[in-house]
Amino acid sequence: MRGGCAGSVSGMDSAPSPAPGAAPAPQRIGVGILGGGTVGAALVGLLDERRAEITARCGTEIVPVAVAVRSPDRPRPGVPAGLLTGDAAAVVADPDVDVVVELIGGTDPVRQLLLAALAGGKPVVTANKEVLATHGAELFAAARAGGADLLFEAAVGGAIPIVRSLRESLAGESVQRIMGIVNGTTNYILSRMTTGGSGYADALAEAQALGYAEADPRADVEGHDAAAKAAIMAGIVFGAEVTAADVHCEGISTLSAGDITFARRLGHVIKLLAIAERVDGDAIAVRVHPAMVPEDHPLASVRDSFNAVFVEGDACGELMLYGRGAGGRPTASAVLGDLIDAAANLRRGAATGPGPTAPARIHPIGELRAAYYLALEVIDRPGVLAAVAGLFGRHGVSIRSMEQEGLGDQARIIFITHVACESDMRATLEDLRHLEAVRQVGSVLRVIADE
Ligand code: HSE
């Protein structure tokens, strides 16, 4: 299938030269694309639209050779029918495929396909957070062994250059904490609840109608999508293997309109955050949960389906990366950047540095220290507040502020605590659930940067 060589690019400043003694550089880079959905079609489109610029930039033409899909007989808008095939393994093994781009998603059969590509020394570009957050260590080991690139800019934050910024631009930085809004669906839902006054169910239905949320929205609303991205970011920032199983994960499906209203009244907005931070020297705490974010924090202004990652480093101070976290063309843009990198590296006979090589020491969630918001529904009668406050005191959790709203002969009490240990807060909640005057323990939210 390999065609003639690309137009002359000699003299292009940005075109890399092969290293002395390296194997001859390919005259044309053939790309095998696994997955022909919206991102795959957008990638084929961008490769066509930008052909001249891409050739100039990497010194060689990048040409799609095949697109593997489940039903190759079904036409795909934007993908020439002649590229479609049903055999993904054959695409990986095709000698005309120099780089494998994986856009299928999930772990099976993707893991085997990627391992086969890397074992054959073929660079892999993937947008698949799940396979990286589950089998990252194995895939990085295969990339090292095969001397091949494993690039995944599109796996976190779509078009936003988060991976490259964390891995390269901030390589010399001592990062203390990253906090990301890395799931557009949940950010859209929370934005609608905050500014549109919608309840959770209506906001979710709206997100589904707009195509942000899947028919089965659990991966997004229960935080699993964000947890995979948190694991990937933590691995890069802290240079250690972190898997999705290491990430404490809570979603947004139990949040009420009342929580949103109270948060606003207290000068906060509620966001689903993916947080990775260094604790006690070399331990890493990684978690995903809804949190109250002060309205003047940069993350509070990230609305609708946009994503952002806020980084706190020793020398760089605070910075934030912001943009589109999903969608065909935004995600394809990040894939294309990786593809150009992989092509340039192939021409140089080099590969991007290895991934993490040692497991992280994960800080247990029970030892987290945070301030908490807690909504309680109680019977409104003398002595109830004293009994409730007594339980906080018994577990060493100090109350910072309290507000009561009447609901007939019931009342809702909102507490904000000082910074406390998570295990003490959990013990308090357990006792509160057994207190006869407590009708319901509502949402429990951590409060960001509150003291
Ligand atoms: N479902 C994700 C989101 C995009 O809503 O941001 C893919 O990770």
Side-chain angles (χ1 to χ4, degrees):
M1 274 191 267
R2 193 179 295 285
C5 92
S8 169
V9 291
S10 58
M12 289 291 176
D13 288 347
S14 54
S17 313
Q27 291 301 305
R28 191 185 85 150
I29 302 286
V31 186
I33 302 173
L34 312 181
T38 51
V39 180
L43 179 63
V44 170
L46 287 176
L47 282 168
D48 188 45
E49 279 170 38
R50 311 255 163 92
R51 188 177 315 161
E53 298 96 306
I54 293 167
T55 304
R57 189 171 284 268
C58 61
T60 186
E61 202 180 3
I62 300 181
V63 182
V65 169
V67 179
V69 293
R70 195 173 296 170
S71 311
D73 298 331
R74 184 160 67 82
R76 313 263 160 171
V79 182
L83 292 180
L84 295 174
T85 167
D87 192 344
V91 172
V92 170
D94 185 340
D96 284 346
V97 168
D98 301 296
V99 182
V100 173
V101 171
E102 186 270 308
L103 305 169
I104 299 174
T107 58
D108 188 38
V110 166
R111 171 176 159 267
Q112 287 304 335
L113 292 167
L114 300 194
L115 288 173
L118 295 167
K122 288 190 184 180
V124 165
V125 175
T126 179
N128 185 335
K129 69 239 151 197
E130 201 182 341
V131 77
L132 290 165
T134 313
H135 300 293
E138 186 183 22
L139 291 168
F140 278 115
R144 281 191 293 274
D149 275 328
L150 172 56
L151 302 175
F152 50 93
E153 184 61 72
V156 183
I160 312 171
I162 292 171
V163 170
R164 202 168 266 98
S165 300
L166 295 177
R167 189 181 59 207
E168 295 175 17
S169 311
L170 295 170
E173 186 53 63
S174 173
V175 173
Q176 298 306 314
R177 177 166 73 163
I178 53 174
M179 294 194 290
I181 294 172
V182 289
N183 183 270
T185 303
T186 46
N187 204 45
Y188 180 83
I189 292 171
L190 293 173
S191 296
R192 292 300 299 146
M193 290 174 77
T194 302
T195 55
S198 312
Y200 171 78
D202 288 343
L204 170 60
E206 237 181 279
Q208 283 170 323
L210 287 168
Y212 295 140
E214 306 284 338
D216 177 355
R218 280 175 296 181
D220 290 320
V221 301
E222 301 304 342
H224 305 304
D225 173 83
K229 294 167 182 169
I232 294 168
M233 291 193 293
I236 301 167
V237 168
F238 300 117
E241 291 165 10
V242 181
T243 71
D246 294 322
V247 183
H248 173 81
C249 183
E250 298 168 25
I252 65 163
S253 60
T254 57
L255 290 177
S256 70
D259 296 324
I260 302 281
T261 307
F262 262 105
R264 292 194 82 179
R265 200 185 296 168
L266 298 168
H268 289 66
V269 290
I270 299 178
K271 294 290 185 189
L272 183 71
L273 296 186
I275 302 175
E277 61 189 330
R278 198 189 293 277
V279 190
D280 296 343
D282 70 340
I284 302 169
V286 201
R287 56 192 195 275
V288 168
H289 53 67
M292 299 221 330
V293 177
E295 271 167 355
D296 59 0
H297 192 285
L299 285 170
S301 61
V302 179
R303 297 193 188 91
D304 300 326
S305 62
F306 279 89
N307 283 200
V309 174
F310 185 80
V311 181
E312 298 165 46
D314 172 38
C316 68
E318 297 176 346
L319 60 90
M320 190 163 90
L321 300 155
Y322 169 90
R324 291 242 171 247
R329 275 173 74 87
T331 308
S333 164
V335 171
L336 183 54
D338 277 351
L339 192 47
I340 289 171
D341 240 14
N345 284 343
L346 273 180
R347 279 180 61 77
R348 284 193 198 98
T352 302
T357 52
R361 187 164 78 81
I362 299 295
H363 189 74
I365 186 69
E367 293 175 23
L368 173 73
R369 294 187 60 77
Y372 295 85
Y373 156 100
L374 167 64
L376 277 188
E377 282 178 24
V378 298
I379 295 168
D380 197 2
R381 70 169 184 237
V384 169
L385 185 57
V388 167
L391 284 183
F392 278 83
R394 187 183 304 163
H395 293 289
V397 177
S398 178
I399 295 168
R400 178 174 171 174
S401 68
M402 189 227 86
E403 191 175 328
Q404 177 170 334
E405 262 188 353
L407 299 170
D409 41 357
Q410 295 174 38
R412 182 181 295 132
I413 316 180
I414 305 295
F415 293 94
I416 303 285
T417 75
H418 285 287
V419 169
C421 181
E422 174 97 9
S423 55
D424 293 334
M425 190 63 197
R426 289 185 186 198
T428 308
L429 293 170
E430 194 49 33
D431 282 359
L432 285 169
R433 287 191 184 99
H434 291 104
L435 206 61
E436 174 264 333
V438 173
R439 300 177 68 89
Q440 193 181 350
V441 176
S443 299
V444 183
L445 299 171
R446 294 149 190 101
V447 183
I448 299 298
D450 205 37
E451 7 191 314

